[in-house]
Amino acid sequence: MPKQQVKTADQATKTYRVEGFTCTNCAGIFENNVNNLEGVIDAKVNFGASKITIQGNTTIEELEKAGAFENLKIRGEREKATERGPFWKQKENIKVYISAILLAVSWFLGEQYGEEHILPTIGYALSILIGGYSLFIKGLKNLVRLKFDMNTLMTVAILGASAIGEWGEGATVVILFAVSEALERYSMDKARQSIKSLMDISPKEALIRRGNQELMVPVEDIQIDDIMIVKPGQKLAMDGVVIKGTSTLNQAAITGESVPVAKTIDDEVFAGTLNEEGLLEVKVTKRVEDTTLSKIIHLVEEAQAEKAPSQAFVDRFAKYYTPGIIILALLLAVIPPLFMGGDWSEWIYRGLAVLVVGCPCALVISTPVSIVTAIGNSAKNGVLIKGGVHLEEAGALKIIAFDKTGTITKGVPAVTDIINYDGDERELLTITTAIEKGSQHPLASAIIRKAEEDGLNANSVVVEDFQSITGKGVKATVNGDIYYVGSPKLFEEILPNNIASDIKEQITTLQKQGKTVMVLGTEKAILSLIAVADEIRESSREIIKKLHEVGIEKTVMLTGDNMATAEAIGKQIGVSEIKAELLPEDKLNYIKELRKGNKSVAMVGDGVNDAPALASATVGVAMGGAGTDTALETADIALMSDDLSKLPYTIKLSRKTLAIIKQNITFSLAIKLVALLLIVPGWLTLWLAIFADMGATLIVTLNSLRLLKVKE
């Protein structure tokens, strides 16, 4: 009967770390056991991140009981892991050594006295018991429940071998299986190392000033607005804003940038970054669970739990494959002796060999270990991939669209030219600045900065009747006169005799240089032109070239700018196509248009005003995810640094992951097929069957670990 429980407010959701997972199958059994515990409403295991999230009430002791079948160890989410010591010294491996010694001694005794002698038989039996004790417990329990997993298949095979007098083979299978499990444990720990290293980046306590006191405070007790003192050579424990001091910080842990970044008053800083030279005082802006580093760790762990399309295929295949193998083994053991006069012990032996070789370990682990490794590696390199599905999709991309401002360009516009036609230049710039102070347009900030540099006091100007003209500019009254500030298009509409040809020519010349032209004027005449340019990132041209080299068919630049400015920038960086004068909804519609015909399209933007287009693309890529919650939430992939150079690396990693997953699946199935074909002439022995299974699992895991070596 399924348990009926009512959800109440006090039944909180809690996460625990789990030590000892070796395969997805045992993670599934543990999840099932925990779900059956009294007080637990729901439990979800994340195999990749080695953790379990529980809704309801239970204790660590109860959880460890539920995981006793695999000797799992449970600890709190923020508790530090206990050092397990060197791999070869670990407790679970000692029984393998004893079992192996007993096998060697028994084999020697068998050579001396003959295989049928009681001494080697006792030795083999002890070897089987010591090496396979925990395996038999699990296998027999499953057998009673008619659950046919790897442990059940192995238990039946070993006990069957012993029953027909193949003691030596039974003991060999036990040892090879134990070695296989130990190596699987080791390689999965290695795959998870990226997450563990991320967790250990930031300190667990910090020096905090409260009033006149300076004290070391655990990060859990640090409050927002506390003042954190960071000395040279120390790592920051919390996110915050610098309120005193100047220094350079190594932000590689968060953004993947190896070059230290200068920080001074009012600059944002992140937990886990290294203060290199100056003394800093930082006002804490986020609690420990909300820091950028905590978010990265959480998102990476969630991503590792998400099933990739290839994993879904493997899971579906394994669901039918294992029962199929059991039926085949049974038919092979029974039909030849019953209907063809075959020898019972020989055909039972062959049936047992099929059971052993049929274990789908290598196949089941082929995808998750690749996904865990790749997502962990990308996080260390400053790229946050939010799931296996996005990792796979990035490898199939054919078209990449870029938002111009803040992606291809730096997003910090500056005034480059001021051309006056009537009146004093300083006075006109002061009026323009006073009007633009009420504007939300990104280019307004460039004019305000220019006025500040020239020492103009725009605050002394009284602006009345300010009004925004959507998509074209603004108008306002200054000293009784109505002024307009906006695009040349606005003045084409309001001037009775249109724009004079010489001014038109001047505007076109500036636009062809990649500059955006803003016009100040009245209803009767144009008073001045102000040209503003957004500096192109040094890396943009090189990145676009690299993307074409790695097989991206088309790169598109999307911008709200006029066509002349867009073309000047587009040609400079080498994109295949330029789309200008677009509103946010136009960008969204264009992305939808690109996706027609099942084309894989990525949209790269800053994650704020590009949110609809990012969500609509096959893969949404946000720039500068560090400190930007919108980017982390909206995008499928976040480039933590404000740098496009991580994009070719992401595509390379994705393609390498896809290739390795395909290699793993193909190899796992091929080795099973070869082993099954060896049954026909009777060449498949039990130890060869387990060796094939163990070898396949090990090769698949080691092949996946190659993803740790993918660099930019």
Side-chain angles (χ1 to χ4, degrees):
M1 281 283 289
K3 52 179 184 172
Q4 296 291 318
Q5 292 196 14
V6 181
K7 183 179 171 182
T8 59
D10 65 319
Q11 288 168 323
T13 299
K14 213 166 173 200
T15 303
Y16 300 89
R17 299 274 162 199
V18 186
E19 285 176 33
F21 279 149
T22 52
C23 64
T24 48
N25 187 53
C26 57
I29 295 167
F30 177 58
E31 181 178 281
N32 199 36
N33 290 353
V34 174
N35 268 314
N36 289 325
L37 289 176
E38 196 64 44
V40 173
I41 294 169
D42 189 39
K44 287 270 183 296
V45 164
N46 179 335
F47 172 69
S50 245
K51 65 179 189 178
I52 183 165
T53 304
I54 294 164
Q55 189 194 340
N57 299 312
T58 189
T59 61
I60 284 178
E61 290 73 26
E62 287 293 313
L63 292 173
E64 287 192 340
K65 269 188 207 168
F69 70 97
E70 192 74 356
N71 198 25
L72 300 177
K73 292 282 167 273
I74 315 293
R75 59 187 165 87
E77 189 178 17
R78 298 199 176 275
E79 240 176 85
K80 211 165 164 46
T82 48
E83 284 301 318
R84 283 163 67 86
F87 172 71
W88 58 275
K89 271 189 181 177
Q90 284 167 19
K91 195 169 73 179
E92 52 264 52
N93 296 337
I94 291 168
K95 64 179 184 184
V96 183
Y97 309 144
I98 297 167
S99 191
I101 292 163
L102 282 168
L103 175 67
V105 169
S106 306
W107 178 82
F108 178 75
L109 290 170
E111 289 293 304
Q112 295 293 312
Y113 304 110
E115 284 291 329
E116 305 300 317
H117 196 276
I118 189 72
L119 283 176
T121 306
I122 291 170
Y124 287 136
L126 283 171
S127 178
I128 288 171
L129 277 173
I130 292 166
Y133 172 76
S134 55
L135 166 70
F136 298 146
I137 300 282
K138 289 181 253 182
L140 291 169
K141 274 183 185 171
N142 287 347
L143 201 56
V144 170
R145 296 180 190 138
L146 294 177
K147 262 191 184 174
F148 292 96
D149 68 353
M150 186 176 62
N151 298 306
T152 320
L153 300 185
M154 283 296 169
T155 302
V156 170
I158 293 157
L159 295 178
S162 307
I164 59 171
E166 296 288 346
W167 291 96
E169 290 239 8
T172 308
V173 167
V174 163
I175 287 162
L176 287 173
F177 183 69
V179 168
S180 162
E181 280 206 312
L183 290 171
E184 242 182 86
R185 245 190 335 267
Y186 173 73
S187 47
M188 270 317 289
D189 281 350
K190 199 103 178 107
R192 294 187 184 112
Q193 203 55 52
S194 303
I195 289 283
K196 285 180 186 164
S197 60
L198 276 177
M199 285 175 181
D200 294 338
I201 282 168
S202 61
K204 300 293 173 262
E205 55 181 14
L207 184 62
I208 298 292
R209 182 190 297 128
R210 285 179 182 161
N212 298 322
Q213 263 191 317
E214 288 183 8
L215 52 152
M216 290 300 286
V217 179
V219 286
E220 290 81 9
D221 300 333
I222 296 174
Q223 303 298 317
I224 290 171
D225 292 339
D226 272 346
I227 306 300
M228 178 170 66
I229 297 161
V230 191
K231 295 173 184 174
Q234 286 185 340
K235 281 184 177 177
L236 277 75
M238 307 291 282
D239 282 13
V241 172
V242 178
I243 57 165
K244 191 177 175 186
T246 303
S247 184
T248 53
L249 295 192
N250 185 329
Q251 299 192 146
I254 303 290
T255 64
E257 298 166 288
S258 52
V259 180
V261 180
K263 296 283 180 181
T264 187
I265 293 166
D266 290 339
D267 283 344
E268 193 175 13
V269 289
F270 309 113
T273 56
L274 177 68
N275 181 20
E276 295 204 330
E277 48 197 38
L279 179 73
L280 291 178
E281 289 192 14
V282 175
K283 187 180 186 180
V284 175
T285 54
K286 291 176 183 174
R287 288 192 52 79
V288 66
E289 59 272 18
D290 299 322
T291 65
T292 301
L293 183 62
S294 295
K295 277 189 177 162
I296 292 171
I297 292 166
H298 175 72
L299 287 168
V300 169
E301 289 183 334
E302 294 310 302
Q304 289 179 333
E306 234 188 67
K307 284 189 178 176
S310 53
Q311 192 176 340
F313 156 75
V314 166
D315 289 349
R316 276 198 312 274
F317 182 83
K319 195 173 158 188
Y320 301 106
Y321 168 81
T322 309
I325 285 289
I326 292 165
I327 292 162
L328 176 66
L330 193 64
L331 293 174
L332 198 65
V334 172
I335 288 174
L338 279 179
F339 302 105
M340 295 149 75
D343 178 58
W344 276 100
S345 65
E346 184 197 330
W347 286 99
I348 286 172
Y349 181 84
R350 288 193 191 188
L352 294 173
V354 170
L355 273 188
V356 172
V357 85
C359 283
C361 313
L363 186 64
V364 169
I365 209 165
S366 60
T367 304
V369 75
S370 304
I371 299 290
V372 167
T373 309
I375 289 176
N377 179 19
S378 69
K380 279 179 81 175
N381 282 287
V383 179
L384 194 56
I385 301 171
K386 287 168 68 177
V389 62
H390 310 306
L391 180 68
E392 287 198 11
E393 280 171 344
L397 288 173
K398 294 291 174 215
I399 303 167
I400 300 182
F402 299 88
D403 176 54
K404 178 184 77 76
T405 309
T407 303
I408 283 168
T409 62
K410 289 182 177 174
V412 185
V415 173
T416 56
D417 306 80
I418 297 176
I419 298 160
N420 266 28
Y421 296 107
D422 191 3
D424 176 64
E425 183 178 316
R426 286 176 69 83
E427 188 189 336
L428 290 177
L429 183 57
T430 307
I431 291 169
T432 309
T433 307
I435 295 169
E436 283 294 327
K437 279 202 164 182
S439 169
Q440 294 296 312
H441 198 280
L443 300 182
S445 59
I447 294 169
I448 294 163
R449 272 197 303 277
K450 174 68 178 163
E452 283 170 359
E453 283 166 21
D454 291 358
L456 304 177
N457 183 13
N459 294 327
S460 61
V461 178
V462 178
V463 177
E464 296 171 316
D465 305 326
F466 178 90
Q467 194 183 327
S468 177
I469 305 161
T470 309
K472 292 169 189 168
V474 294
K475 79 170 185 174
T477 304
V478 177
N479 300 330
D481 294 321
I482 297 171
Y483 290 92
Y484 291 82
V485 181
S487 66
K489 265 191 176 178
L490 173 66
F491 284 85
E492 279 173 12
E493 290 173 18
I494 63 173
L495 289 177
N497 302 317
N498 213 316
I499 301 171
S501 57
D502 59 327
I503 297 177
K504 236 181 209 178
E505 208 173 295
Q506 187 73 63
I507 290 168
T508 309
T509 305
L510 290 166
Q511 287 177 342
K512 280 181 179 170
Q513 292 167 7
K515 296 166 183 175
T516 302
V517 180
M518 295 176 76
V519 184
L520 169 71
T522 63
E523 286 174 347
K524 295 175 186 161
I526 286 174
L527 302 175
S528 72
L529 302 180
I530 300 171
V532 176
D534 186 1
E535 208 180 325
I536 295 171
R537 293 175 189 272
E538 297 82 358
S539 60
S540 292
R541 183 173 179 79
E542 189 57 34
I543 301 308
I544 300 292
K545 186 170 165 246
K546 269 189 189 173
L547 289 171
H548 286 297
E549 281 169 4
V550 298
I552 297 298
E553 291 170 7
K554 185 157 87 168
T555 50
V556 187
M557 186 182 83
L558 310 178
T559 179
D561 256 347
N562 63 77
M563 198 63 194
T565 304
E567 278 186 344
I569 292 170
K571 280 175 185 162
Q572 219 175 314
I573 61 163
V575 288
S576 334
E577 201 175 309
I578 298 150
K579 290 282 172 186
E581 298 172 20
L582 302 175
L583 295 168
E585 58 264 33
D586 298 330
K587 290 181 188 177
L588 172 64
N589 294 332
Y590 184 67
I591 292 292
K592 285 180 179 171
E593 194 65 36
L594 285 174
R595 286 198 65 179
K596 282 181 182 169
N598 291 326
K599 289 266 186 179
S600 286
V601 181
M603 169 70 190
V604 186
D606 61 11
V608 182
N609 60 349
D610 304 313
L614 285 175
S616 174
T618 317
V619 180
V621 182
M623 291 273 290
T628 317
D629 290 348
T630 320
L632 290 178
E633 283 156 25
T634 312
D636 304 317
I637 296 173
L639 309 178
M640 300 307 286
S641 63
D642 217 12
D643 180 10
L644 274 178
S645 66
K646 303 285 178 187
L647 202 51
Y649 154 79
T650 308
I651 290 167
K652 185 169 133 190
L653 177 72
S654 171
R655 287 180 180 169
K656 184 90 172 162
T657 307
L658 280 173
I660 280 178
I661 288 171
K662 281 175 187 164
Q663 287 164 16
N664 286 350
I665 293 171
T666 308
F667 179 75
S668 307
L669 292 173
I671 207 159
K672 301 284 180 204
L673 187 63
V674 169
L676 289 171
L677 289 173
L678 291 178
I679 290 163
V680 181
W683 295 345
L684 185 69
T685 61
L686 270 179
W687 68 267
L688 191 61
I690 184 72
F691 203 73
D693 181 68
M694 179 184 103
T697 305
L698 199 56
I699 288 166
V700 156
T701 311
L702 292 174
N703 192 33
S704 301
L705 290 180
R706 288 196 299 133
L707 289 166
L708 287 172
K709 292 187 166 60
V710 178
K711 296 279 185 288
E712 277 183 64

